[in-house]
Amino acid sequence: MSNRQDEGLSAFARRMHASGTNLEQHTPNSIFSRIPGSEIPQHKIKHSAKVTVVGVGNVGMACAQTMLSAGLLNELALVDVLEDRLQGELLDLQHSAAFLPRVKIVADTDYGVSADSDICIVTAGARQREGESRIDLLDRNVNLFKKIIPELVRHSPDTILLIVSNPVDILAYVSWKLSGLPPNRVIGSGTNLDSSRLRSLLADKFEVSALNVHGYIIGEHGDNSVPLWSSLSVANVPVLNFHDKKGVQYNKETLEEFHKAVVKSAYEVIRLKGYTSWAIGFSVASIVKSLLRDQMHVHPVSVLANSFYGIDYDVFLSLPAQLGSAGVLGIANLPITEDEAQRLQNSAKILRGMLDKSKMQ
Protein backbone atom coordinates (compact mmCIF):
# COMPACT_ATOMS: atom_id res chain seq x y z
CA MET A 1 0.00 0.00 0.00
CA SER A 2 1.35 3.46 -0.88
CA ASN A 3 2.31 6.10 1.69
CA ARG A 4 -0.56 8.25 0.42
CA GLN A 5 -3.03 5.41 1.08
CA ASP A 6 -1.50 4.86 4.55
CA GLU A 7 -1.94 8.56 5.34
CA GLY A 8 -5.55 8.43 4.10
CA LEU A 9 -6.32 5.44 6.27
CA SER A 10 -4.69 6.98 9.33
CA ALA A 11 -6.57 10.26 8.93
CA PHE A 12 -9.81 8.35 8.50
CA ALA A 13 -9.13 6.30 11.63
CA ARG A 14 -8.42 9.43 13.67
CA ARG A 15 -11.62 11.05 12.46
CA MET A 16 -13.70 7.96 13.28
CA HIS A 17 -12.10 7.71 16.73
CA ALA A 18 -12.85 11.36 17.45
CA SER A 19 -16.50 10.84 16.53
CA GLY A 20 -16.76 7.76 18.76
CA THR A 21 -17.35 5.37 15.86
CA ASN A 22 -16.44 1.73 16.45
CA LEU A 23 -13.17 1.26 14.60
CA GLU A 24 -13.51 -2.51 14.54
CA GLN A 25 -15.16 -2.16 11.15
CA HIS A 26 -12.16 -0.29 9.71
CA THR A 27 -9.07 -1.53 11.54
CA PRO A 28 -10.32 -4.95 12.72
CA ASN A 29 -8.60 -8.04 14.08
CA SER A 30 -10.90 -10.26 12.04
CA ILE A 31 -11.56 -10.42 8.32
CA PHE A 32 -15.36 -10.39 8.70
CA SER A 33 -17.82 -8.78 11.13
CA ARG A 34 -21.43 -9.85 11.58
CA ILE A 35 -24.31 -7.47 10.99
CA PRO A 36 -25.76 -6.52 14.40
CA GLY A 37 -28.96 -8.46 15.04
CA SER A 38 -27.97 -11.39 12.84
CA GLU A 39 -29.14 -14.90 13.67
CA ILE A 40 -26.53 -17.38 12.41
CA PRO A 41 -27.30 -21.06 13.08
CA GLN A 42 -24.85 -23.86 12.42
CA HIS A 43 -23.72 -24.11 8.79
CA LYS A 44 -25.57 -26.67 6.74
CA ILE A 45 -25.56 -27.69 3.10
CA LYS A 46 -29.04 -28.24 1.70
CA HIS A 47 -29.47 -31.57 -0.08
CA SER A 48 -32.83 -30.44 -1.44
CA ALA A 49 -33.70 -26.88 -2.27
CA LYS A 50 -36.84 -24.94 -3.11
CA VAL A 51 -36.70 -21.44 -4.54
CA THR A 52 -39.60 -19.13 -5.32
CA VAL A 53 -39.45 -16.41 -7.97
CA VAL A 54 -42.03 -13.64 -7.69
CA GLY A 55 -42.54 -11.95 -11.04
CA VAL A 56 -42.30 -13.84 -14.34
CA GLY A 57 -41.14 -10.97 -16.50
CA ASN A 58 -37.87 -10.98 -18.41
CA VAL A 59 -35.69 -10.75 -15.29
CA GLY A 60 -37.66 -13.29 -13.28
CA MET A 61 -37.56 -15.88 -16.04
CA ALA A 62 -33.85 -15.26 -16.67
CA CYS A 63 -33.25 -15.99 -12.97
CA ALA A 64 -35.37 -19.14 -13.20
CA GLN A 65 -33.66 -20.39 -16.35
CA THR A 66 -30.10 -19.85 -15.10
CA MET A 67 -30.81 -21.57 -11.78
CA LEU A 68 -32.41 -24.54 -13.52
CA SER A 69 -29.56 -24.85 -16.01
CA ALA A 70 -27.04 -24.81 -13.15
CA GLY A 71 -28.86 -27.68 -11.41
CA LEU A 72 -29.29 -25.71 -8.18
CA LEU A 73 -32.91 -26.60 -7.43
CA ASN A 74 -35.16 -29.52 -6.60
CA GLU A 75 -38.27 -27.36 -6.77
CA LEU A 76 -39.03 -24.03 -8.40
CA ALA A 77 -42.19 -22.05 -7.62
CA LEU A 78 -43.33 -19.15 -9.79
CA VAL A 79 -45.74 -16.46 -8.57
CA ASP A 80 -47.31 -13.63 -10.55
CA VAL A 81 -50.63 -11.77 -10.77
CA LEU A 82 -50.89 -12.35 -14.55
CA GLU A 83 -52.34 -15.85 -14.65
CA ASP A 84 -52.09 -16.46 -18.42
CA ARG A 85 -48.46 -15.30 -18.59
CA LEU A 86 -47.68 -17.36 -15.51
CA GLN A 87 -49.17 -20.56 -16.91
CA GLY A 88 -47.48 -19.99 -20.26
CA GLU A 89 -44.06 -19.68 -18.62
CA LEU A 90 -44.77 -22.75 -16.48
CA LEU A 91 -45.61 -24.87 -19.52
CA ASP A 92 -42.61 -23.58 -21.44
CA LEU A 93 -40.27 -24.61 -18.62
CA GLN A 94 -41.97 -27.96 -18.06
CA HIS A 95 -41.51 -28.80 -21.75
CA SER A 96 -37.74 -28.55 -21.22
CA ALA A 97 -37.76 -31.27 -18.54
CA ALA A 98 -35.88 -33.75 -20.72
CA PHE A 99 -32.94 -31.37 -21.00
CA LEU A 100 -32.64 -30.45 -17.30
CA PRO A 101 -31.85 -32.23 -14.03
CA ARG A 102 -35.02 -33.58 -12.42
CA VAL A 103 -36.85 -30.66 -10.82
CA LYS A 104 -40.44 -29.95 -9.80
CA ILE A 105 -41.81 -26.71 -11.28
CA VAL A 106 -45.05 -25.21 -9.99
CA ALA A 107 -46.81 -21.89 -10.48
CA ASP A 108 -49.79 -20.05 -9.06
CA THR A 109 -51.16 -16.60 -8.36
CA ASP A 110 -51.62 -17.75 -4.75
CA TYR A 111 -48.54 -17.41 -2.52
CA GLY A 112 -49.33 -20.77 -0.93
CA VAL A 113 -47.33 -22.33 -3.77
CA SER A 114 -44.20 -20.72 -2.27
CA ALA A 115 -44.52 -22.58 1.07
CA ASP A 116 -41.28 -23.78 2.67
CA SER A 117 -38.99 -22.02 0.21
CA ASP A 118 -35.33 -21.79 1.16
CA ILE A 119 -34.98 -18.60 -0.87
CA CYS A 120 -37.63 -16.21 -2.18
CA ILE A 121 -36.46 -14.05 -5.09
CA VAL A 122 -38.50 -10.93 -5.81
CA THR A 123 -38.21 -9.47 -9.31
CA ALA A 124 -41.70 -7.92 -9.46
CA GLY A 125 -41.99 -4.16 -9.56
CA ALA A 126 -43.98 -1.27 -10.99
CA ARG A 127 -42.62 0.38 -14.13
CA GLN A 128 -42.03 4.10 -14.18
CA ARG A 129 -44.79 6.06 -15.88
CA GLU A 130 -44.14 8.99 -18.17
CA GLY A 131 -43.52 12.08 -16.07
CA GLU A 132 -43.54 10.09 -12.81
CA SER A 133 -40.96 11.05 -10.19
CA ARG A 134 -38.62 8.47 -8.63
CA ILE A 135 -40.30 9.00 -5.25
CA ASP A 136 -43.78 8.39 -6.68
CA LEU A 137 -42.48 5.23 -8.38
CA LEU A 138 -40.89 4.16 -5.12
CA ASP A 139 -44.16 4.67 -3.23
CA ARG A 140 -46.01 2.48 -5.74
CA ASN A 141 -43.39 -0.24 -5.33
CA VAL A 142 -43.59 0.04 -1.54
CA ASN A 143 -47.35 -0.54 -1.76
CA LEU A 144 -46.70 -3.54 -4.03
CA PHE A 145 -44.14 -4.99 -1.62
CA LYS A 146 -46.60 -4.61 1.25
CA LYS A 147 -48.66 -7.27 -0.53
CA ILE A 148 -45.72 -9.51 -1.51
CA ILE A 149 -43.30 -9.70 1.42
CA PRO A 150 -45.70 -10.57 4.29
CA GLU A 151 -47.21 -13.37 2.17
CA LEU A 152 -43.80 -14.85 1.39
CA VAL A 153 -42.73 -14.81 5.03
CA ARG A 154 -46.07 -16.20 6.21
CA HIS A 155 -45.64 -19.27 4.03
CA SER A 156 -41.85 -19.55 4.46
CA PRO A 157 -40.85 -18.11 7.86
CA ASP A 158 -37.31 -19.51 7.61
CA THR A 159 -36.65 -18.21 4.11
CA ILE A 160 -33.94 -15.88 2.83
CA LEU A 161 -35.30 -12.94 0.85
CA LEU A 162 -33.29 -12.01 -2.24
CA ILE A 163 -34.52 -8.74 -3.73
CA VAL A 164 -33.77 -7.97 -7.38
CA SER A 165 -36.42 -5.33 -8.18
CA ASN A 166 -35.16 -1.76 -8.57
CA PRO A 167 -34.35 0.46 -6.81
CA VAL A 168 -32.85 -2.61 -5.20
CA ASP A 169 -31.22 -0.99 -2.16
CA ILE A 170 -34.42 0.83 -1.19
CA LEU A 171 -36.62 -2.20 -1.74
CA ALA A 172 -34.25 -4.46 0.20
CA TYR A 173 -34.64 -2.08 3.16
CA VAL A 174 -38.42 -2.07 2.67
CA SER A 175 -38.44 -5.88 2.58
CA TRP A 176 -36.42 -6.08 5.80
CA LYS A 177 -38.87 -3.78 7.56
CA LEU A 178 -41.95 -5.55 6.25
CA SER A 179 -40.67 -9.08 6.86
CA GLY A 180 -39.50 -8.88 10.46
CA LEU A 181 -36.62 -11.18 9.49
CA PRO A 182 -33.14 -10.78 11.00
CA PRO A 183 -30.94 -8.64 8.71
CA ASN A 184 -28.72 -11.55 7.65
CA ARG A 185 -31.73 -13.09 5.87
CA VAL A 186 -32.59 -10.10 3.67
CA ILE A 187 -30.28 -9.45 0.72
CA GLY A 188 -30.43 -7.27 -2.37
CA SER A 189 -28.68 -8.28 -5.60
CA GLY A 190 -26.88 -4.94 -5.31
CA THR A 191 -23.60 -4.37 -7.14
CA ASN A 192 -22.80 -8.05 -7.70
CA LEU A 193 -23.42 -7.51 -11.41
CA ASP A 194 -21.73 -4.09 -11.46
CA SER A 195 -18.58 -5.66 -10.03
CA SER A 196 -18.73 -8.42 -12.63
CA ARG A 197 -19.01 -5.84 -15.40
CA LEU A 198 -15.96 -4.02 -14.03
CA ARG A 199 -13.91 -7.22 -13.89
CA SER A 200 -14.95 -8.07 -17.43
CA LEU A 201 -13.84 -4.67 -18.77
CA LEU A 202 -10.49 -4.87 -16.99
CA ALA A 203 -9.97 -8.47 -18.11
CA ASP A 204 -10.37 -7.37 -21.73
CA LYS A 205 -7.99 -4.48 -21.20
CA PHE A 206 -5.26 -6.54 -19.56
CA GLU A 207 -5.89 -9.65 -21.68
CA VAL A 208 -6.47 -11.94 -18.72
CA SER A 209 -9.33 -14.09 -17.44
CA ALA A 210 -11.95 -12.18 -15.45
CA LEU A 211 -11.39 -14.80 -12.73
CA ASN A 212 -7.96 -13.23 -12.15
CA VAL A 213 -9.35 -9.71 -11.70
CA HIS A 214 -10.19 -8.97 -8.07
CA GLY A 215 -12.08 -5.90 -6.97
CA TYR A 216 -15.47 -4.57 -5.94
CA ILE A 217 -17.92 -1.83 -6.66
CA ILE A 218 -19.88 -1.08 -3.49
CA GLY A 219 -22.53 1.38 -2.28
CA GLU A 220 -25.67 2.17 -4.25
CA HIS A 221 -26.57 0.06 -7.25
CA GLY A 222 -26.66 2.96 -9.68
CA ASP A 223 -24.96 6.23 -10.55
CA ASN A 224 -23.59 6.74 -7.02
CA SER A 225 -21.82 3.39 -6.73
CA VAL A 226 -18.27 3.39 -5.37
CA PRO A 227 -15.38 1.55 -7.08
CA LEU A 228 -12.66 0.44 -4.65
CA TRP A 229 -9.56 1.27 -6.68
CA SER A 230 -7.26 0.93 -3.66
CA SER A 231 -7.83 -2.84 -3.47
CA LEU A 232 -8.27 -3.59 -7.18
CA SER A 233 -5.76 -6.13 -8.51
CA VAL A 234 -5.03 -8.23 -11.57
CA ALA A 235 -3.32 -11.54 -10.77
CA ASN A 236 -2.64 -10.09 -7.29
CA VAL A 237 -0.82 -7.09 -8.82
CA PRO A 238 -2.37 -3.78 -7.61
CA VAL A 239 -3.73 -1.88 -10.60
CA LEU A 240 -3.24 1.62 -9.17
CA ASN A 241 -0.11 3.15 -10.75
CA PHE A 242 0.35 0.01 -12.85
CA HIS A 243 1.49 0.32 -16.48
CA ASP A 244 -0.12 -1.79 -19.20
CA LYS A 245 1.64 -3.21 -22.26
CA LYS A 246 1.37 0.12 -24.03
CA GLY A 247 2.96 1.99 -21.13
CA VAL A 248 -0.32 3.59 -19.99
CA GLN A 249 -0.31 4.27 -16.25
CA TYR A 250 -3.52 3.61 -14.34
CA ASN A 251 -4.46 6.09 -11.64
CA LYS A 252 -7.82 7.02 -10.15
CA GLU A 253 -8.59 9.39 -13.01
CA THR A 254 -7.96 6.86 -15.79
CA LEU A 255 -9.70 4.06 -13.87
CA GLU A 256 -12.81 6.22 -13.45
CA GLU A 257 -13.43 5.74 -17.17
CA PHE A 258 -13.99 2.04 -16.47
CA HIS A 259 -16.47 2.94 -13.72
CA LYS A 260 -18.37 5.26 -16.06
CA ALA A 261 -18.53 2.45 -18.62
CA VAL A 262 -19.97 0.11 -15.99
CA VAL A 263 -22.67 2.62 -15.01
CA LYS A 264 -23.58 3.25 -18.65
CA SER A 265 -23.58 -0.41 -19.68
CA ALA A 266 -27.05 -1.21 -18.33
CA TYR A 267 -28.49 1.86 -20.04
CA GLU A 268 -26.89 0.74 -23.29
CA VAL A 269 -28.40 -2.74 -23.05
CA ILE A 270 -31.81 -1.20 -22.34
CA ARG A 271 -31.42 1.15 -25.32
CA LEU A 272 -30.59 -1.74 -27.63
CA LYS A 273 -33.02 -4.48 -26.48
CA GLY A 274 -35.43 -2.67 -24.18
CA TYR A 275 -34.46 -4.37 -20.91
CA THR A 276 -31.68 -6.25 -19.14
CA SER A 277 -32.17 -9.89 -18.18
CA TRP A 278 -29.48 -12.50 -18.83
CA ALA A 279 -26.61 -10.87 -16.93
CA ILE A 280 -28.74 -10.25 -13.85
CA GLY A 281 -30.05 -13.81 -14.15
CA PHE A 282 -26.54 -15.25 -14.00
CA SER A 283 -25.65 -12.84 -11.19
CA VAL A 284 -28.64 -13.99 -9.13
CA ALA A 285 -27.83 -17.65 -9.82
CA SER A 286 -24.31 -17.12 -8.46
CA ILE A 287 -25.73 -15.64 -5.25
CA VAL A 288 -28.26 -18.49 -4.90
CA LYS A 289 -25.49 -21.05 -5.38
CA SER A 290 -23.43 -19.49 -2.57
CA LEU A 291 -26.45 -19.50 -0.26
CA LEU A 292 -27.80 -22.98 -0.94
CA ARG A 293 -24.42 -24.70 -0.99
CA ASP A 294 -23.04 -22.80 1.99
CA GLN A 295 -20.01 -21.76 -0.07
CA MET A 296 -19.08 -18.77 2.13
CA HIS A 297 -18.24 -16.93 -1.07
CA VAL A 298 -17.91 -13.13 -0.90
CA HIS A 299 -20.35 -11.14 -3.04
CA PRO A 300 -20.89 -7.36 -3.14
CA VAL A 301 -24.61 -7.40 -2.31
CA SER A 302 -27.03 -5.01 -0.66
CA VAL A 303 -27.13 -5.53 3.12
CA LEU A 304 -27.97 -3.59 6.26
CA ALA A 305 -24.96 -1.26 6.48
CA ASN A 306 -25.53 0.31 9.89
CA SER A 307 -22.28 0.16 11.96
CA PHE A 308 -20.00 -0.40 8.95
CA TYR A 309 -17.55 2.08 7.45
CA GLY A 310 -18.80 5.07 9.44
CA ILE A 311 -22.50 4.57 8.58
CA ASP A 312 -24.52 4.93 11.78
CA TYR A 313 -28.14 4.63 10.60
CA ASP A 314 -30.31 1.99 8.94
CA VAL A 315 -29.80 1.79 5.20
CA PHE A 316 -29.19 -1.01 2.72
CA LEU A 317 -26.34 -0.76 0.23
CA SER A 318 -23.75 -3.07 -1.24
CA LEU A 319 -20.79 -4.24 0.82
CA PRO A 320 -18.58 -7.33 0.31
CA ALA A 321 -20.61 -9.96 2.16
CA GLN A 322 -19.76 -13.56 2.97
CA LEU A 323 -22.77 -15.69 2.01
CA GLY A 324 -23.77 -19.12 3.28
CA SER A 325 -26.81 -21.18 4.18
CA ALA A 326 -27.77 -18.69 6.95
CA GLY A 327 -27.64 -15.74 4.58
CA VAL A 328 -25.09 -13.01 5.28
CA LEU A 329 -22.44 -14.57 7.53
CA GLY A 330 -20.33 -11.42 7.78
CA ILE A 331 -19.17 -8.21 6.12
CA ALA A 332 -15.57 -8.00 4.93
CA ASN A 333 -13.52 -5.39 6.80
CA LEU A 334 -11.69 -3.87 3.84
CA PRO A 335 -8.94 -1.28 4.43
CA ILE A 336 -10.61 1.36 2.28
CA THR A 337 -9.18 4.85 1.93
CA GLU A 338 -10.72 7.97 3.41
CA ASP A 339 -11.87 9.10 -0.02
CA GLU A 340 -13.59 5.77 -0.68
CA ALA A 341 -15.23 5.85 2.77
CA GLN A 342 -16.49 9.38 2.12
CA ARG A 343 -17.99 8.38 -1.22
CA LEU A 344 -19.62 5.36 0.40
CA GLN A 345 -21.13 7.53 3.15
CA ASN A 346 -22.42 9.99 0.55
CA SER A 347 -24.03 7.08 -1.29
CA ALA A 348 -25.68 6.01 1.97
CA LYS A 349 -26.99 9.54 2.62
CA ILE A 350 -28.61 9.68 -0.84
CA LEU A 351 -30.36 6.37 -0.24
CA ARG A 352 -31.45 7.36 3.26
CA GLY A 353 -32.79 10.63 1.86
CA MET A 354 -34.96 8.73 -0.61
CA LEU A 355 -36.32 6.58 2.19
CA ASP A 356 -37.12 9.61 4.33
CA LYS A 357 -39.14 11.13 1.47
CA SER A 358 -41.06 7.92 0.81
CA LYS A 359 -43.99 6.32 2.57
CA MET A 360 -41.66 3.70 4.07
CA GLN A 361 -39.52 5.13 6.86
Side-chain angles (χ1 to χ4, degrees), residues 7-19 21 23 26-27 338:
E7 291 171 3
L9 287 170
S10 298
F12 178 54
R14 289 195 298 272
R15 183 164 62 83
M16 290 295 101
H17 180 76
S19 66
T21 301
L23 284 180
H26 306 282
T27 55
E338 183 172 15

Side-chain angles (χ1 to χ4, degrees), residues 27-326:
T27 55
N29 294 320
S30 61
I31 297 175
F32 298 98
S33 294
R34 288 185 180 178
I35 299 173
S38 295
E39 296 177 7
I40 311 290
Q42 185 178 358
H43 297 307
K44 58 180 180 180
I45 299 175
K46 294 285 294 184
H47 295 289
S48 62
K50 178 178 179 179
V51 172
T52 290
V53 176
V54 180
V56 296
N58 297 311
V59 172
M61 294 313 298
C63 293
Q65 192 276 335
T66 50
M67 290 187 296
L68 289 171
S69 296
L72 297 176
L73 314 178
N74 298 97
E75 183 173 353
L76 171 67
L78 304 175
V79 179
D80 201 292
V81 295
L82 301 177
E83 187 169 3
D84 287 348
R85 172 70 183 267
L86 183 64
Q87 292 304 315
E89 295 291 2
L90 171 64
L91 287 172
D92 210 6
L93 286 178
Q94 288 178 333
H95 294 165
S96 66
F99 313 111
L100 294 171
R102 182 171 175 81
V103 58
K104 180 181 179 182
I105 306 174
V106 295
D108 208 308
T109 56
D110 190 305
Y111 283 88
V113 76
S114 69
D116 300 319
S117 291
D118 298 288
I119 300 173
C120 291
I121 301 170
V122 183
T123 68
R127 291 189 177 184
Q128 193 165 12
R129 299 165 178 163
E130 185 176 353
E132 185 177 35
S133 71
R134 292 181 70 189
I135 295 301
D136 288 341
L137 174 62
L138 172 58
D139 286 339
R140 285 203 296 128
N141 274 317
V142 168
N143 289 332
L144 179 63
F145 270 53
K146 286 179 179 178
K147 299 175 183 177
I148 295 173
I149 301 302
E151 283 294 299
L152 291 175
V153 175
R154 182 166 73 89
H155 291 287
S156 302
D158 297 322
T159 196
I160 294 171
L161 293 176
L162 176 52
I163 310 304
V164 182
S165 310
N166 279 317
V168 65
D169 303 297
I170 300 293
L171 293 178
Y173 171 89
V174 169
S175 299
W176 173 56
K177 283 293 189 180
L178 291 173
S179 68
L181 295 177
N184 57 296
R185 290 204 278 131
V186 181
I187 303 166
S189 54
T191 58
N192 195 53
L193 177 54
D194 308 62
S195 298
S196 174
R197 286 169 172 156
L198 177 64
R199 292 196 295 270
S200 176
L201 289 171
L202 288 168
D204 288 344
K205 183 65 179 179
F206 290 103
E207 298 179 355
V208 68
S209 168
L211 295 174
N212 297 120
V213 180
H214 305 284
Y216 300 114
I217 292 177
I218 62 173
E220 177 195 3
H221 170 59
D223 297 347
N224 297 297
S225 58
V226 182
L228 297 181
W229 303 131
S230 63
S231 56
L232 179 68
S233 68
V234 175
N236 281 348
V237 178
V239 172
L240 267 183
N241 302 317
F242 180 77
H243 291 76
D244 66 11
K245 294 179 180 179
K246 296 180 180 179
V248 176
Q249 182 179 11
Y250 287 89
N251 52 36
K252 290 181 181 179
E253 288 71 29
T254 52
L255 288 170
E256 275 299 328
E257 294 303 313
F258 288 97
H259 181 228
K260 290 177 183 177
V262 168
V263 172
K264 291 179 181 178
S265 60
Y267 297 120
E268 181 67 4
V269 174
I270 292 170
R271 184 186 72 82
L272 293 169
K273 62 177 277 191
Y275 55 89
T276 61
S277 57
W278 292 115
I280 186 61
F282 281 104
S283 174
V284 167
S286 74
I287 295 170
V288 169
K289 182 178 180 181
S290 291
L291 293 168
L292 291 179
R293 298 187 177 176
D294 200 30
Q295 290 189 323
M296 292 182 271
H297 191 81
V298 177
H299 295 263
V301 290
S302 191
V303 297
L304 181 63
N306 193 345
S307 81
F308 293 94
Y309 300 103
I311 299 169
D312 57 2
Y313 45 85
D314 288 345
V315 66
F316 271 64
L317 49 71
S318 286
L319 296 174
Q322 185 185 42
L323 303 183
S325 59

Side-chain angles (χ1 to χ4, degrees), residues 327-348:
V328 180
L329 306 180
I331 305 300
N333 293 304
L334 299 177
I336 65 177
T337 66
E338 183 172 15
D339 176 65
E340 291 166 342
Q342 186 61 57
R343 292 180 66 179
L344 179 61
Q345 290 164 16
N346 289 340
S347 185

